[in-house]
Amino acid sequence: MDSWIDLRSDTVTKPTEPMRKAMYEAEVGDDVYSEDPTVNALEEKTAEMFAREAALFVPTGSMGNAVCLEVLTRPGSEVICDRLSHVYNYELSSMAVLSGLTPRVVDGPQGAPFPEQVEEAIHPPLYYVAPTGCISLENTANIAGGRIFPEKRMKQIVALARKNNIPVHLDGARIFNAAVALSKEVAELTAGMDCVMFCLSKGLGAPVGSMVLGSREFIREARRVRKLFGGGMRQAGILAAAGIYALDNNVPRLDQDHANARRLAEELSQIDGLEVDTETVETNIIMVGTKEPAPGAEKLCRRLESYSVQVDPLGPNLTRLVTHLDVSSEDVVRAIEAFRAAVK
Ligand code: TLP
């Protein structure tokens, strides 16, 4: 049987031999005492990359987002976020459970709201309405199909937020995908945000970990909240070493994932029964709709399994495909053949 091609997510990558070697050789200490030299090195490195005063290593992207929202707001406030955003859809309402926040949802095109939509969602400072605690944006927008947040629009929202004295958080889980696709620095794409979260454990290929970036004061408070939420880690240097390796070795190669995604999108769009808007494939995520004569998403995914291709249904007629470090260009050819066979 052929080896599995896992297109469910870029979270599934496994650490490579040299990454494991870096982990094995990592110097460690107790990070709750801020004494793990490898964690400290990762935090310094990422702070520099993002042109920020400080950074914090957190176990997951979800915890990173939760820590940021908690630090930026007070209970009873609203978080302006998009209808498709991860913080709204896939974090088990942690903003409500952990921080007493409610989402104020806006419906931007492809996960990227217009400034006018955000402005309309901001509450006036009246004592009898919930205050707007922060604005949370996402780049790339995952469920929109890995779309890059239009830069000009992002800057307009940041300016609007400043004017209204509202902080902005960026869920930049896949900000390196955006940076590589645009040939820009992450510092440039995230300028003006009060805080940023990005993931080491997605396209960058580390097994665990995300980073939070902000001012020194913000990170001091984020460190306290990370502990409060149960995310204080001890000899975490073995994980941070994988993060350092990922940042040193796996950033420019994201281009290959994007090329693979484009190839997949173009070929799948030619198959009768599949709907793919190739124009929208900007990074490593492809949304694939199904229609007659193809079966529904659930059945299609089950059939693909018999060709050793793993894909998850996202709705009755929708699937999401994600390319990553463990999907080669040969795998893409095999996956296309599998789709051709499975839609029949
Ligand atoms: N996304 C996962 C699933 O939860 C959907 C995936 O497979 O794409 N922000 C964004 C934009 C994300 O896509 C994710 C994970 C997170 C935050 C949370 O990161 P983790 O899984 O580390 O908690």
Side-chain angles (χ1 to χ4, degrees):
M1 189 167 158
D2 287 328
S3 56
W4 283 95
I5 301 169
D6 195 341
L7 296 168
R8 289 172 302 168
S9 180
D10 48 8
T11 58
V12 301
T13 57
K14 299 199 176 123
T16 55
E17 279 300 316
M19 182 181 275
R20 284 170 194 254
K21 186 162 181 286
M23 296 170 77
Y24 178 79
E25 288 172 355
E27 260 187 74
V28 295
D30 191 325
D31 182 48
V32 171
Y33 295 116
S34 298
E35 283 174 6
D36 187 303
T38 312
V39 172
N40 292 343
L42 173 65
E43 291 176 347
E44 276 160 32
K45 183 182 180 69
T46 50
E48 201 170 301
M49 287 177 104
F50 283 77
R52 298 286 164 155
E53 283 177 5
L56 184 72
F57 185 45
V58 289
T60 66
S62 301
M63 184 180 284
N65 281 337
V67 165
C68 288
L69 297 187
E70 166 72 18
V71 175
L72 293 179
T73 61
R74 58 193 170 92
S77 318
E78 293 189 347
V79 175
I80 298 177
C81 54
D82 190 81
R83 178 179 70 88
L84 298 179
S85 62
H86 197 276
V87 289
Y88 178 55
N89 290 286
Y90 298 104
E91 294 183 17
L92 296 95
S93 300
S94 65
M95 70 168 81
V97 178
L98 300 172
S99 302
L101 303 168
T102 38
R104 168 68 54 180
V105 179
V106 291
D107 189 359
Q110 276 107 34
F114 288 115
E116 300 76 40
Q117 294 178 294
V118 174
E119 190 161 28
E120 219 172 281
I122 297 174
H123 275 169
L126 298 169
Y127 80 89
Y128 51 84
V129 292
T132 301
C134 75
I135 300 165
S136 179
L137 305 174
E138 190 175 309
N139 195 12
T140 63
N142 177 354
I143 296 305
R147 296 303 300 269
I148 298 170
F149 205 111
E151 276 178 273
K152 190 169 156 223
R153 202 181 300 169
M154 182 80 87
K155 285 197 180 115
Q156 288 169 333
I157 295 175
V158 169
L160 173 73
R162 287 283 154 276
K163 198 177 88 190
N164 287 277
N165 213 10
I166 295 168
V168 185
H169 165 61
L170 180 71
D171 175 347
R174 295 183 179 82
I175 193 66
F176 280 93
N177 292 85
V180 168
L182 296 170
S183 301
K184 296 221 162 154
E185 299 296 327
V186 285
E188 191 184 342
L189 295 183
T190 59
M193 308 278 164
D194 292 78
C195 50
V196 179
M197 183 286 289
F198 83 90
C199 295
L200 296 160
S201 62
K202 297 200 164 57
L204 298 180
V208 176
S210 292
M211 303 301 298
V212 167
L213 298 122
S215 67
R216 203 161 284 120
E217 196 188 335
F218 179 91
I219 294 298
R220 194 177 310 121
E221 184 58 6
R223 195 176 292 280
R224 183 188 74 78
V225 173
R226 179 186 67 174
K227 189 77 174 78
L228 174 73
F229 289 174
M233 297 181 284
R234 302 295 178 170
Q235 286 71 36
I238 51 167
L239 302 175
I244 293 174
Y245 182 91
L247 290 167
D248 285 341
N249 295 280
N250 293 344
V251 174
R253 66 148 307 285
L254 290 171
D255 244 357
Q256 293 166 32
D257 299 342
H258 301 168
N260 282 339
R262 265 194 310 276
R263 169 105 196 262
L264 254 177
E266 274 156 21
E267 296 283 341
L268 297 187
S269 71
Q270 304 295 316
I271 298 176
D272 193 22
L274 299 183
E275 284 183 314
V276 185
D277 182 355
T278 52
E279 297 286 297
T280 64
V281 181
E282 296 174 325
T283 57
N284 68 328
I285 301 179
I286 312 149
M287 306 308 276
V288 180
T290 64
K291 58 174 187 199
E292 291 285 332
E298 187 82 48
K299 197 165 177 184
L300 178 68
C301 293
R302 263 206 318 271
R303 283 193 197 165
L304 284 167
E305 272 185 24
S306 61
Y307 298 95
S308 305
V309 173
Q310 279 175 292
V311 176
D312 272 343
L314 210 72
N317 295 301
L318 189 64
T319 63
R320 182 187 73 151
L321 274 51
V322 189
T323 55
H324 51 77
L325 195 58
D326 292 347
V327 177
S328 65
S329 48
E330 293 79 40
D331 290 339
V332 168
V333 175
R334 247 180 70 202
I336 294 162
E337 286 314 313
F339 267 94
R340 269 203 195 101
V343 292
K344 284 190 191 134

